[in-house]
Amino acid sequence: MENNNINKIEFLTTPCFGTCPVFSLEINANGTSFLNAESYNYENEDEQSEIVGKFKTVIAKDKFDKILKALKQIDFSCLEKENDKFYEDMTSYTLTLTYNDNQVKEYVDKTQENSDELNALYKLLFDLRFNQKWEKQ
């Protein structure tokens, strides 16, 4: 995504047979972001730290810049729309990028067996649940 203007980043996780976090995240080009935390979104192993519900924030500039930098490290042209492996008991991730005003790239990841760069992006997106000041909607 080296020379592309990112308009929106959408990230979605699905349930697994265990306690995988289930949430969706939307980050717009101006930093305005929405989080829908459905289940198992714990800041630590303590169940009292779970966040559930719909939230809104403006992502801190330093965190937003790290996400954009991580995106530039990934060669999305090499990613198929969906990886062909599937583990029935695992969560899957869907990453959708809207860029250059109307182009869309979607990647459905059913294994998390990826490059270090893509996994680093996932970590940044997961961390946003707890390193931002979210306002409950």
Side-chain angles (χ1 to χ4, degrees), residues 11 25 27 62-71 117-129 131:
F11 184 66
L25 184 63
I27 306 169
D62 64 323
K63 304 295 183 196
F64 189 64
D65 289 347
K66 283 183 181 181
I67 291 168
L68 293 178
K69 184 177 178 181
L71 282 168
E117 293 82 8
L118 189 54
N119 286 330
L121 174 63
Y122 288 159
K123 181 174 181 349
L124 291 171
L125 295 173
F126 266 80
D127 289 351
L128 287 177
R129 296 171 300 154
N131 65 18

mmCIF file with all atom_site columns, all heavy atoms in Angstrom, residues 11 25 27 62-71 117-129 131:
data_model
loop_
_atom_site.group_PDB
_atom_site.id
_atom_site.type_symbol
_atom_site.label_atom_id
_atom_site.label_alt_id
_atom_site.label_comp_id
_atom_site.label_asym_id
_atom_site.label_entity_id
_atom_site.label_seq_id
_atom_site.pdbx_PDB_ins_code
_atom_site.Cartn_x
_atom_site.Cartn_y
_atom_site.Cartn_z
_atom_site.occupancy
_atom_site.B_iso_or_equiv
_atom_site.pdbx_formal_charge
_atom_site.auth_seq_id
_atom_site.auth_comp_id
_atom_site.auth_asym_id
_atom_site.auth_atom_id
_atom_site.pdbx_PDB_model_num
ATOM 1   N N   . PHE A 1 11  ? -11.794 -3.741  10.223 1.00 0.00 ? 11  PHE A N   1
ATOM 2   C CA  . PHE A 1 11  ? -11.229 -4.987  10.732 1.00 0.00 ? 11  PHE A CA  1
ATOM 3   C C   . PHE A 1 11  ? -12.304 -5.688  11.544 1.00 0.00 ? 11  PHE A C   1
ATOM 4   O O   . PHE A 1 11  ? -12.969 -5.080  12.375 1.00 0.00 ? 11  PHE A O   1
ATOM 5   C CB  . PHE A 1 11  ? -10.008 -4.683  11.611 1.00 0.00 ? 11  PHE A CB  1
ATOM 6   C CG  . PHE A 1 11  ? -9.282  -5.896  12.104 1.00 0.00 ? 11  PHE A CG  1
ATOM 7   C CD1 . PHE A 1 11  ? -8.627  -6.738  11.231 1.00 0.00 ? 11  PHE A CD1 1
ATOM 8   C CD2 . PHE A 1 11  ? -9.241  -6.179  13.456 1.00 0.00 ? 11  PHE A CD2 1
ATOM 9   C CE1 . PHE A 1 11  ? -7.947  -7.863  11.694 1.00 0.00 ? 11  PHE A CE1 1
ATOM 10  C CE2 . PHE A 1 11  ? -8.562  -7.291  13.934 1.00 0.00 ? 11  PHE A CE2 1
ATOM 11  C CZ  . PHE A 1 11  ? -7.908  -8.133  13.051 1.00 0.00 ? 11  PHE A CZ  1
ATOM 12  N N   . LEU A 1 25  ? -13.901 -3.071  14.006 1.00 0.00 ? 25  LEU A N   1
ATOM 13  C CA  . LEU A 1 25  ? -13.248 -1.786  14.155 1.00 0.00 ? 25  LEU A CA  1
ATOM 14  C C   . LEU A 1 25  ? -13.287 -1.076  12.811 1.00 0.00 ? 25  LEU A C   1
ATOM 15  O O   . LEU A 1 25  ? -13.044 -1.698  11.777 1.00 0.00 ? 25  LEU A O   1
ATOM 16  C CB  . LEU A 1 25  ? -11.797 -2.039  14.583 1.00 0.00 ? 25  LEU A CB  1
ATOM 17  C CG  . LEU A 1 25  ? -10.873 -0.896  14.898 1.00 0.00 ? 25  LEU A CG  1
ATOM 18  C CD1 . LEU A 1 25  ? -11.378 -0.108  16.103 1.00 0.00 ? 25  LEU A CD1 1
ATOM 19  C CD2 . LEU A 1 25  ? -9.478  -1.439  15.181 1.00 0.00 ? 25  LEU A CD2 1
ATOM 20  N N   . ILE A 1 27  ? -11.786 2.525   11.098 1.00 0.00 ? 27  ILE A N   1
ATOM 21  C CA  . ILE A 1 27  ? -10.923 3.694   11.261 1.00 0.00 ? 27  ILE A CA  1
ATOM 22  C C   . ILE A 1 27  ? -11.006 4.512   9.982  1.00 0.00 ? 27  ILE A C   1
ATOM 23  O O   . ILE A 1 27  ? -10.671 4.017   8.910  1.00 0.00 ? 27  ILE A O   1
ATOM 24  C CB  . ILE A 1 27  ? -9.459  3.289   11.516 1.00 0.00 ? 27  ILE A CB  1
ATOM 25  C CG1 . ILE A 1 27  ? -9.360  2.335   12.701 1.00 0.00 ? 27  ILE A CG1 1
ATOM 26  C CG2 . ILE A 1 27  ? -8.592  4.522   11.723 1.00 0.00 ? 27  ILE A CG2 1
ATOM 27  C CD1 . ILE A 1 27  ? -7.996  1.685   12.853 1.00 0.00 ? 27  ILE A CD1 1
ATOM 28  N N   . ASP A 1 62  ? -0.221  9.335   17.145 1.00 0.00 ? 62  ASP A N   1
ATOM 29  C CA  . ASP A 1 62  ? 0.922   8.420   17.127 1.00 0.00 ? 62  ASP A CA  1
ATOM 30  C C   . ASP A 1 62  ? 0.491   6.986   16.803 1.00 0.00 ? 62  ASP A C   1
ATOM 31  O O   . ASP A 1 62  ? 1.169   6.285   16.054 1.00 0.00 ? 62  ASP A O   1
ATOM 32  C CB  . ASP A 1 62  ? 1.712   8.479   18.431 1.00 0.00 ? 62  ASP A CB  1
ATOM 33  C CG  . ASP A 1 62  ? 0.912   8.008   19.643 1.00 0.00 ? 62  ASP A CG  1
ATOM 34  O OD1 . ASP A 1 62  ? -0.302  8.273   19.726 1.00 0.00 ? 62  ASP A OD1 1
ATOM 35  O OD2 . ASP A 1 62  ? 1.531   7.367   20.522 1.00 0.00 ? 62  ASP A OD2 1
ATOM 36  N N   . LYS A 1 63  ? -0.659  6.558   17.319 1.00 0.00 ? 63  LYS A N   1
ATOM 37  C CA  . LYS A 1 63  ? -1.166  5.206   17.034 1.00 0.00 ? 63  LYS A CA  1
ATOM 38  C C   . LYS A 1 63  ? -1.631  5.103   15.580 1.00 0.00 ? 63  LYS A C   1
ATOM 39  O O   . LYS A 1 63  ? -1.382  4.105   14.905 1.00 0.00 ? 63  LYS A O   1
ATOM 40  C CB  . LYS A 1 63  ? -2.323  4.835   17.963 1.00 0.00 ? 63  LYS A CB  1
ATOM 41  C CG  . LYS A 1 63  ? -1.995  4.923   19.427 1.00 0.00 ? 63  LYS A CG  1
ATOM 42  C CD  . LYS A 1 63  ? -0.951  3.935   19.849 1.00 0.00 ? 63  LYS A CD  1
ATOM 43  C CE  . LYS A 1 63  ? -0.727  4.025   21.341 1.00 0.00 ? 63  LYS A CE  1
ATOM 44  N NZ  . LYS A 1 63  ? 0.474   3.400   21.804 1.00 0.00 ? 63  LYS A NZ  1
ATOM 45  N N   . PHE A 1 64  ? -2.293  6.144   15.108 1.00 0.00 ? 64  PHE A N   1
ATOM 46  C CA  . PHE A 1 64  ? -2.773  6.172   13.723 1.00 0.00 ? 64  PHE A CA  1
ATOM 47  C C   . PHE A 1 64  ? -1.591  6.121   12.756 1.00 0.00 ? 64  PHE A C   1
ATOM 48  O O   . PHE A 1 64  ? -1.601  5.362   11.774 1.00 0.00 ? 64  PHE A O   1
ATOM 49  C CB  . PHE A 1 64  ? -3.630  7.417   13.500 1.00 0.00 ? 64  PHE A CB  1
ATOM 50  C CG  . PHE A 1 64  ? -4.351  7.443   12.197 1.00 0.00 ? 64  PHE A CG  1
ATOM 51  C CD1 . PHE A 1 64  ? -5.324  6.500   11.899 1.00 0.00 ? 64  PHE A CD1 1
ATOM 52  C CD2 . PHE A 1 64  ? -4.083  8.415   11.247 1.00 0.00 ? 64  PHE A CD2 1
ATOM 53  C CE1 . PHE A 1 64  ? -6.008  6.520   10.691 1.00 0.00 ? 64  PHE A CE1 1
ATOM 54  C CE2 . PHE A 1 64  ? -4.760  8.447   10.042 1.00 0.00 ? 64  PHE A CE2 1
ATOM 55  C CZ  . PHE A 1 64  ? -5.727  7.502   9.763  1.00 0.00 ? 64  PHE A CZ  1
ATOM 56  N N   . ASP A 1 65  ? -0.547  6.894   13.042 1.00 0.00 ? 65  ASP A N   1
ATOM 57  C CA  . ASP A 1 65  ? 0.647   6.899   12.195 1.00 0.00 ? 65  ASP A CA  1
ATOM 58  C C   . ASP A 1 65  ? 1.319   5.529   12.162 1.00 0.00 ? 65  ASP A C   1
ATOM 59  O O   . ASP A 1 65  ? 1.805   5.090   11.116 1.00 0.00 ? 65  ASP A O   1
ATOM 60  C CB  . ASP A 1 65  ? 1.642   7.963   12.665 1.00 0.00 ? 65  ASP A CB  1
ATOM 61  C CG  . ASP A 1 65  ? 1.171   9.375   12.368 1.00 0.00 ? 65  ASP A CG  1
ATOM 62  O OD1 . ASP A 1 65  ? 0.204   9.550   11.583 1.00 0.00 ? 65  ASP A OD1 1
ATOM 63  O OD2 . ASP A 1 65  ? 1.763   10.319  12.943 1.00 0.00 ? 65  ASP A OD2 1
ATOM 64  N N   . LYS A 1 66  ? 1.340   4.819   13.301 1.00 0.00 ? 66  LYS A N   1
ATOM 65  C CA  . LYS A 1 66  ? 1.927   3.473   13.341 1.00 0.00 ? 66  LYS A CA  1
ATOM 66  C C   . LYS A 1 66  ? 1.128   2.508   12.463 1.00 0.00 ? 66  LYS A C   1
ATOM 67  O O   . LYS A 1 66  ? 1.704   1.658   11.783 1.00 0.00 ? 66  LYS A O   1
ATOM 68  C CB  . LYS A 1 66  ? 1.975   2.950   14.772 1.00 0.00 ? 66  LYS A CB  1
ATOM 69  C CG  . LYS A 1 66  ? 3.083   3.538   15.592 1.00 0.00 ? 66  LYS A CG  1
ATOM 70  C CD  . LYS A 1 66  ? 3.122   2.927   16.972 1.00 0.00 ? 66  LYS A CD  1
ATOM 71  C CE  . LYS A 1 66  ? 4.224   3.561   17.794 1.00 0.00 ? 66  LYS A CE  1
ATOM 72  N NZ  . LYS A 1 66  ? 4.323   2.973   19.142 1.00 0.00 ? 66  LYS A NZ  1
ATOM 73  N N   . ILE A 1 67  ? -0.185  2.642   12.470 1.00 0.00 ? 67  ILE A N   1
ATOM 74  C CA  . ILE A 1 67  ? -1.025  1.780   11.639 1.00 0.00 ? 67  ILE A CA  1
ATOM 75  C C   . ILE A 1 67  ? -0.757  2.052   10.163 1.00 0.00 ? 67  ILE A C   1
ATOM 76  O O   . ILE A 1 67  ? -0.585  1.128   9.370  1.00 0.00 ? 67  ILE A O   1
ATOM 77  C CB  . ILE A 1 67  ? -2.507  1.966   11.991 1.00 0.00 ? 67  ILE A CB  1
ATOM 78  C CG1 . ILE A 1 67  ? -2.775  1.392   13.386 1.00 0.00 ? 67  ILE A CG1 1
ATOM 79  C CG2 . ILE A 1 67  ? -3.415  1.318   10.948 1.00 0.00 ? 67  ILE A CG2 1
ATOM 80  C CD1 . ILE A 1 67  ? -4.112  1.771   13.972 1.00 0.00 ? 67  ILE A CD1 1
ATOM 81  N N   . LEU A 1 68  ? -0.703  3.327   9.788  1.00 0.00 ? 68  LEU A N   1
ATOM 82  C CA  . LEU A 1 68  ? -0.421  3.675   8.388  1.00 0.00 ? 68  LEU A CA  1
ATOM 83  C C   . LEU A 1 68  ? 0.963   3.181   7.966  1.00 0.00 ? 68  LEU A C   1
ATOM 84  O O   . LEU A 1 68  ? 1.130   2.659   6.859  1.00 0.00 ? 68  LEU A O   1
ATOM 85  C CB  . LEU A 1 68  ? -0.542  5.178   8.179  1.00 0.00 ? 68  LEU A CB  1
ATOM 86  C CG  . LEU A 1 68  ? -1.948  5.759   8.320  1.00 0.00 ? 68  LEU A CG  1
ATOM 87  C CD1 . LEU A 1 68  ? -1.923  7.278   8.148  1.00 0.00 ? 68  LEU A CD1 1
ATOM 88  C CD2 . LEU A 1 68  ? -2.918  5.116   7.341  1.00 0.00 ? 68  LEU A CD2 1
ATOM 89  N N   . LYS A 1 69  ? 1.932   3.305   8.854  1.00 0.00 ? 69  LYS A N   1
ATOM 90  C CA  . LYS A 1 69  ? 3.286   2.823   8.557  1.00 0.00 ? 69  LYS A CA  1
ATOM 91  C C   . LYS A 1 69  ? 3.272   1.301   8.375  1.00 0.00 ? 69  LYS A C   1
ATOM 92  O O   . LYS A 1 69  ? 3.897   0.772   7.453  1.00 0.00 ? 69  LYS A O   1
ATOM 93  C CB  . LYS A 1 69  ? 4.250   3.219   9.672  1.00 0.00 ? 69  LYS A CB  1
ATOM 94  C CG  . LYS A 1 69  ? 5.677   2.833   9.403  1.00 0.00 ? 69  LYS A CG  1
ATOM 95  C CD  . LYS A 1 69  ? 6.601   3.310   10.509 1.00 0.00 ? 69  LYS A CD  1
ATOM 96  C CE  . LYS A 1 69  ? 8.025   2.867   10.217 1.00 0.00 ? 69  LYS A CE  1
ATOM 97  N NZ  . LYS A 1 69  ? 8.945   3.275   11.272 1.00 0.00 ? 69  LYS A NZ  1
ATOM 98  N N   . ALA A 1 70  ? 2.543   0.595   9.236  1.00 0.00 ? 70  ALA A N   1
ATOM 99  C CA  . ALA A 1 70  ? 2.448   -0.863  9.124  1.00 0.00 ? 70  ALA A CA  1
ATOM 100 C C   . ALA A 1 70  ? 1.792   -1.264  7.806  1.00 0.00 ? 70  ALA A C   1
ATOM 101 O O   . ALA A 1 70  ? 2.213   -2.232  7.168  1.00 0.00 ? 70  ALA A O   1
ATOM 102 C CB  . ALA A 1 70  ? 1.668   -1.434  10.309 1.00 0.00 ? 70  ALA A CB  1
ATOM 103 N N   . LEU A 1 71  ? 0.776   -0.534  7.399  1.00 0.00 ? 71  LEU A N   1
ATOM 104 C CA  . LEU A 1 71  ? 0.104   -0.823  6.124  1.00 0.00 ? 71  LEU A CA  1
ATOM 105 C C   . LEU A 1 71  ? 1.062   -0.686  4.948  1.00 0.00 ? 71  LEU A C   1
ATOM 106 O O   . LEU A 1 71  ? 1.013   -1.467  4.002  1.00 0.00 ? 71  LEU A O   1
ATOM 107 C CB  . LEU A 1 71  ? -1.093  0.101   5.915  1.00 0.00 ? 71  LEU A CB  1
ATOM 108 C CG  . LEU A 1 71  ? -2.352  -0.248  6.692  1.00 0.00 ? 71  LEU A CG  1
ATOM 109 C CD1 . LEU A 1 71  ? -3.357  0.884   6.620  1.00 0.00 ? 71  LEU A CD1 1
ATOM 110 C CD2 . LEU A 1 71  ? -2.953  -1.534  6.163  1.00 0.00 ? 71  LEU A CD2 1
ATOM 111 N N   . GLU A 1 117 ? 4.850   -8.752  8.986  1.00 0.00 ? 117 GLU A N   1
ATOM 112 C CA  . GLU A 1 117 ? 4.285   -7.418  8.771  1.00 0.00 ? 117 GLU A CA  1
ATOM 113 C C   . GLU A 1 117 ? 2.765   -7.413  8.968  1.00 0.00 ? 117 GLU A C   1
ATOM 114 O O   . GLU A 1 117 ? 2.221   -6.508  9.602  1.00 0.00 ? 117 GLU A O   1
ATOM 115 C CB  . GLU A 1 117 ? 4.633   -6.908  7.367  1.00 0.00 ? 117 GLU A CB  1
ATOM 116 C CG  . GLU A 1 117 ? 6.104   -6.642  7.149  1.00 0.00 ? 117 GLU A CG  1
ATOM 117 C CD  . GLU A 1 117 ? 6.922   -7.901  6.798  1.00 0.00 ? 117 GLU A CD  1
ATOM 118 O OE1 . GLU A 1 117 ? 6.334   -8.968  6.570  1.00 0.00 ? 117 GLU A OE1 1
ATOM 119 O OE2 . GLU A 1 117 ? 8.159   -7.784  6.775  1.00 0.00 ? 117 GLU A OE2 1
ATOM 120 N N   . LEU A 1 118 ? 2.093   -8.402  8.435  1.00 0.00 ? 118 LEU A N   1
ATOM 121 C CA  . LEU A 1 118 ? 0.636   -8.468  8.591  1.00 0.00 ? 118 LEU A CA  1
ATOM 122 C C   . LEU A 1 118 ? 0.265   -8.751  10.049 1.00 0.00 ? 118 LEU A C   1
ATOM 123 O O   . LEU A 1 118 ? -0.656  -8.140  10.594 1.00 0.00 ? 118 LEU A O   1
ATOM 124 C CB  . LEU A 1 118 ? 0.035   -9.523  7.665  1.00 0.00 ? 118 LEU A CB  1
ATOM 125 C CG  . LEU A 1 118 ? -1.490  -9.550  7.572  1.00 0.00 ? 118 LEU A CG  1
ATOM 126 C CD1 . LEU A 1 118 ? -2.063  -8.184  7.193  1.00 0.00 ? 118 LEU A CD1 1
ATOM 127 C CD2 . LEU A 1 118 ? -1.934  -10.601 6.570  1.00 0.00 ? 118 LEU A CD2 1
ATOM 128 N N   . ASN A 1 119 ? 0.998   -9.630  10.696 1.00 0.00 ? 119 ASN A N   1
ATOM 129 C CA  . ASN A 1 119 ? 0.733   -9.903  12.111 1.00 0.00 ? 119 ASN A CA  1
ATOM 130 C C   . ASN A 1 119 ? 0.983   -8.669  12.972 1.00 0.00 ? 119 ASN A C   1
ATOM 131 O O   . ASN A 1 119 ? 0.280   -8.440  13.952 1.00 0.00 ? 119 ASN A O   1
ATOM 132 C CB  . ASN A 1 119 ? 1.557   -11.092 12.594 1.00 0.00 ? 119 ASN A CB  1
ATOM 133 C CG  . ASN A 1 119 ? 1.006   -12.400 12.055 1.00 0.00 ? 119 ASN A CG  1
ATOM 134 O OD1 . ASN A 1 119 ? -0.188  -12.540 11.817 1.00 0.00 ? 119 ASN A OD1 1
ATOM 135 N ND2 . ASN A 1 119 ? 1.883   -13.365 11.862 1.00 0.00 ? 119 ASN A ND2 1
ATOM 136 N N   . ALA A 1 120 ? 1.980   -7.857  12.609 1.00 0.00 ? 120 ALA A N   1
ATOM 137 C CA  . ALA A 1 120 ? 2.241   -6.618  13.347 1.00 0.00 ? 120 ALA A CA  1
ATOM 138 C C   . ALA A 1 120 ? 1.056   -5.656  13.202 1.00 0.00 ? 120 ALA A C   1
ATOM 139 O O   . ALA A 1 120 ? 0.663   -4.991  14.167 1.00 0.00 ? 120 ALA A O   1
ATOM 140 C CB  . ALA A 1 120 ? 3.530   -5.963  12.853 1.00 0.00 ? 120 ALA A CB  1
ATOM 141 N N   . LEU A 1 121 ? 0.475   -5.584  12.013 1.00 0.00 ? 121 LEU A N   1
ATOM 142 C CA  . LEU A 1 121 ? -0.707  -4.747  11.806 1.00 0.00 ? 121 LEU A CA  1
ATOM 143 C C   . LEU A 1 121 ? -1.869  -5.245  12.662 1.00 0.00 ? 121 LEU A C   1
ATOM 144 O O   . LEU A 1 121 ? -2.543  -4.463  13.321 1.00 0.00 ? 121 LEU A O   1
ATOM 145 C CB  . LEU A 1 121 ? -1.115  -4.726  10.332 1.00 0.00 ? 121 LEU A CB  1
ATOM 146 C CG  . LEU A 1 121 ? -2.421  -3.992  10.024 1.00 0.00 ? 121 LEU A CG  1
ATOM 147 C CD1 . LEU A 1 121 ? -2.318  -2.505  10.385 1.00 0.00 ? 121 LEU A CD1 1
ATOM 148 C CD2 . LEU A 1 121 ? -2.810  -4.191  8.576  1.00 0.00 ? 121 LEU A CD2 1
ATOM 149 N N   . TYR A 1 122 ? -2.091  -6.548  12.655 1.00 0.00 ? 122 TYR A N   1
ATOM 150 C CA  . TYR A 1 122 ? -3.159  -7.119  13.486 1.00 0.00 ? 122 TYR A CA  1
ATOM 151 C C   . TYR A 1 122 ? -2.967  -6.730  14.952 1.00 0.00 ? 122 TYR A C   1
ATOM 152 O O   . TYR A 1 122 ? -3.916  -6.359  15.634 1.00 0.00 ? 122 TYR A O   1
ATOM 153 C CB  . TYR A 1 122 ? -3.184  -8.642  13.385 1.00 0.00 ? 122 TYR A CB  1
ATOM 154 C CG  . TYR A 1 122 ? -3.677  -9.208  12.085 1.00 0.00 ? 122 TYR A CG  1
ATOM 155 C CD1 . TYR A 1 122 ? -3.349  -10.506 11.733 1.00 0.00 ? 122 TYR A CD1 1
ATOM 156 C CD2 . TYR A 1 122 ? -4.472  -8.485  11.207 1.00 0.00 ? 122 TYR A CD2 1
ATOM 157 C CE1 . TYR A 1 122 ? -3.803  -11.076 10.553 1.00 0.00 ? 122 TYR A CE1 1
ATOM 158 C CE2 . TYR A 1 122 ? -4.917  -9.036  10.013 1.00 0.00 ? 122 TYR A CE2 1
ATOM 159 C CZ  . TYR A 1 122 ? -4.582  -10.338 9.697  1.00 0.00 ? 122 TYR A CZ  1
ATOM 160 O OH  . TYR A 1 122 ? -5.029  -10.886 8.531  1.00 0.00 ? 122 TYR A OH  1
ATOM 161 N N   . LYS A 1 123 ? -1.744  -6.817  15.443 1.00 0.00 ? 123 LYS A N   1
ATOM 162 C CA  . LYS A 1 123 ? -1.486  -6.477  16.846 1.00 0.00 ? 123 LYS A CA  1
ATOM 163 C C   . LYS A 1 123 ? -1.844  -5.027  17.126 1.00 0.00 ? 123 LYS A C   1
ATOM 164 O O   . LYS A 1 123 ? -2.479  -4.713  18.142 1.00 0.00 ? 123 LYS A O   1
ATOM 165 C CB  . LYS A 1 123 ? -0.028  -6.758  17.222 1.00 0.00 ? 123 LYS A CB  1
ATOM 166 C CG  . LYS A 1 123 ? 0.242   -6.427  18.695 1.00 0.00 ? 123 LYS A CG  1
ATOM 167 C CD  . LYS A 1 123 ? 1.601   -6.809  19.138 1.00 0.00 ? 123 LYS A CD  1
ATOM 168 C CE  . LYS A 1 123 ? 1.898   -6.517  20.598 1.00 0.00 ? 123 LYS A CE  1
ATOM 169 N NZ  . LYS A 1 123 ? 1.017   -5.716  21.367 1.00 0.00 ? 123 LYS A NZ  1
ATOM 170 N N   . LEU A 1 124 ? -1.476  -4.131  16.234 1.00 0.00 ? 124 LEU A N   1
ATOM 171 C CA  . LEU A 1 124 ? -1.817  -2.717  16.419 1.00 0.00 ? 124 LEU A CA  1
ATOM 172 C C   . LEU A 1 124 ? -3.337  -2.523  16.471 1.00 0.00 ? 124 LEU A C   1
ATOM 173 O O   . LEU A 1 124 ? -3.836  -1.748  17.285 1.00 0.00 ? 124 LEU A O   1
ATOM 174 C CB  . LEU A 1 124 ? -1.220  -1.874  15.288 1.00 0.00 ? 124 LEU A CB  1
ATOM 175 C CG  . LEU A 1 124 ? 0.295   -1.734  15.270 1.00 0.00 ? 124 LEU A CG  1
ATOM 176 C CD1 . LEU A 1 124 ? 0.748   -1.072  13.972 1.00 0.00 ? 124 LEU A CD1 1
ATOM 177 C CD2 . LEU A 1 124 ? 0.798   -0.962  16.483 1.00 0.00 ? 124 LEU A CD2 1
ATOM 178 N N   . LEU A 1 125 ? -4.045  -3.229  15.604 1.00 0.00 ? 125 LEU A N   1
ATOM 179 C CA  . LEU A 1 125 ? -5.502  -3.100  15.570 1.00 0.00 ? 125 LEU A CA  1
ATOM 180 C C   . LEU A 1 125 ? -6.137  -3.686  16.833 1.00 0.00 ? 125 LEU A C   1
ATOM 181 O O   . LEU A 1 125 ? -7.044  -3.084  17.406 1.00 0.00 ? 125 LEU A O   1
ATOM 182 C CB  . LEU A 1 125 ? -6.060  -3.766  14.308 1.00 0.00 ? 125 LEU A CB  1
ATOM 183 C CG  . LEU A 1 125 ? -5.635  -3.107  13.000 1.00 0.00 ? 125 LEU A CG  1
ATOM 184 C CD1 . LEU A 1 125 ? -6.092  -3.939  11.803 1.00 0.00 ? 125 LEU A CD1 1
ATOM 185 C CD2 . LEU A 1 125 ? -6.143  -1.676  12.892 1.00 0.00 ? 125 LEU A CD2 1
ATOM 186 N N   . PHE A 1 126 ? -5.648  -4.831  17.276 1.00 0.00 ? 126 PHE A N   1
ATOM 187 C CA  . PHE A 1 126 ? -6.145  -5.419  18.522 1.00 0.00 ? 126 PHE A CA  1
ATOM 188 C C   . PHE A 1 126 ? -5.884  -4.481  19.704 1.00 0.00 ? 126 PHE A C   1
ATOM 189 O O   . PHE A 1 126 ? -6.746  -4.290  20.564 1.00 0.00 ? 126 PHE A O   1
ATOM 190 C CB  . PHE A 1 126 ? -5.468  -6.773  18.782 1.00 0.00 ? 126 PHE A CB  1
ATOM 191 C CG  . PHE A 1 126 ? -6.238  -7.958  18.279 1.00 0.00 ? 126 PHE A CG  1
ATOM 192 C CD1 . PHE A 1 126 ? -6.194  -8.305  16.940 1.00 0.00 ? 126 PHE A CD1 1
ATOM 193 C CD2 . PHE A 1 126 ? -6.994  -8.728  19.142 1.00 0.00 ? 126 PHE A CD2 1
ATOM 194 C CE1 . PHE A 1 126 ? -6.899  -9.407  16.466 1.00 0.00 ? 126 PHE A CE1 1
ATOM 195 C CE2 . PHE A 1 126 ? -7.704  -9.825  18.681 1.00 0.00 ? 126 PHE A CE2 1
ATOM 196 C CZ  . PHE A 1 126 ? -7.661  -10.165 17.342 1.00 0.00 ? 126 PHE A CZ  1
ATOM 197 N N   . ASP A 1 127 ? -4.692  -3.896  19.764 1.00 0.00 ? 127 ASP A N   1
ATOM 198 C CA  . ASP A 1 127 ? -4.313  -3.034  20.884 1.00 0.00 ? 127 ASP A CA  1
ATOM 199 C C   . ASP A 1 127 ? -5.176  -1.780  20.982 1.00 0.00 ? 127 ASP A C   1
ATOM 200 O O   . ASP A 1 127 ? -5.339  -1.230  22.072 1.00 0.00 ? 127 ASP A O   1
ATOM 201 C CB  . ASP A 1 127 ? -2.841  -2.642  20.781 1.00 0.00 ? 127 ASP A CB  1
ATOM 202 C CG  . ASP A 1 127 ? -1.901  -3.802  21.063 1.00 0.00 ? 127 ASP A CG  1
ATOM 203 O OD1 . ASP A 1 127 ? -2.365  -4.882  21.512 1.00 0.00 ? 127 ASP A OD1 1
ATOM 204 O OD2 . ASP A 1 127 ? -0.680  -3.632  20.819 1.00 0.00 ? 127 ASP A OD2 1
ATOM 205 N N   . LEU A 1 128 ? -5.725  -1.320  19.866 1.00 0.00 ? 128 LEU A N   1
ATOM 206 C CA  . LEU A 1 128 ? -6.562  -0.117  19.896 1.00 0.00 ? 128 LEU A CA  1
ATOM 207 C C   . LEU A 1 128 ? -7.740  -0.247  20.862 1.00 0.00 ? 128 LEU A C   1
ATOM 208 O O   . LEU A 1 128 ? -8.204  0.745   21.409 1.00 0.00 ? 128 LEU A O   1
ATOM 209 C CB  . LEU A 1 128 ? -7.098  0.210   18.499 1.00 0.00 ? 128 LEU A CB  1
ATOM 210 C CG  . LEU A 1 128 ? -6.110  0.767   17.496 1.00 0.00 ? 128 LEU A CG  1
ATOM 211 C CD1 . LEU A 1 128 ? -6.789  0.954   16.147 1.00 0.00 ? 128 LEU A CD1 1
ATOM 212 C CD2 . LEU A 1 128 ? -5.498  2.076   17.980 1.00 0.00 ? 128 LEU A CD2 1
ATOM 213 N N   . ARG A 1 129 ? -8.206  -1.456  21.087 1.00 0.00 ? 129 ARG A N   1
ATOM 214 C CA  . ARG A 1 129 ? -9.338  -1.651  21.995 1.00 0.00 ? 129 ARG A CA  1
ATOM 215 C C   . ARG A 1 129 ? -9.054  -1.104  23.384 1.00 0.00 ? 129 ARG A C   1
ATOM 216 O O   . ARG A 1 129 ? -9.968  -0.710  24.095 1.00 0.00 ? 129 ARG A O   1
ATOM 217 C CB  . ARG A 1 129 ? -9.700  -3.136  22.101 1.00 0.00 ? 129 ARG A CB  1
ATOM 218 C CG  . ARG A 1 129 ? -10.186 -3.748  20.802 1.00 0.00 ? 129 ARG A CG  1
ATOM 219 C CD  . ARG A 1 129 ? -10.319 -5.249  20.930 1.00 0.00 ? 129 ARG A CD  1
ATOM 220 N NE  . ARG A 1 129 ? -9.010  -5.829  21.265 1.00 0.00 ? 129 ARG A NE  1
ATOM 221 C CZ  . ARG A 1 129 ? -8.831  -6.969  21.908 1.00 0.00 ? 129 ARG A CZ  1
ATOM 222 N NH1 . ARG A 1 129 ? -9.858  -7.688  22.311 1.00 0.00 ? 129 ARG A NH1 1
ATOM 223 N NH2 . ARG A 1 129 ? -7.619  -7.423  22.161 1.00 0.00 ? 129 ARG A NH2 1
ATOM 224 N N   . ASN A 1 131 ? -5.925  0.965   24.185 1.00 0.00 ? 131 ASN A N   1
ATOM 225 C CA  . ASN A 1 131 ? -4.989  2.083   24.325 1.00 0.00 ? 131 ASN A CA  1
ATOM 226 C C   . ASN A 1 131 ? -5.573  3.410   23.831 1.00 0.00 ? 131 ASN A C   1
ATOM 227 O O   . ASN A 1 131 ? -4.846  4.373   23.623 1.00 0.00 ? 131 ASN A O   1
ATOM 228 C CB  . ASN A 1 131 ? -3.638  1.767   23.655 1.00 0.00 ? 131 ASN A CB  1
ATOM 229 C CG  . ASN A 1 131 ? -3.724  1.614   22.155 1.00 0.00 ? 131 ASN A CG  1
ATOM 230 O OD1 . ASN A 1 131 ? -4.679  2.043   21.520 1.00 0.00 ? 131 ASN A OD1 1
ATOM 231 N ND2 . ASN A 1 131 ? -2.708  0.989   21.578 1.00 0.00 ? 131 ASN A ND2 1
#
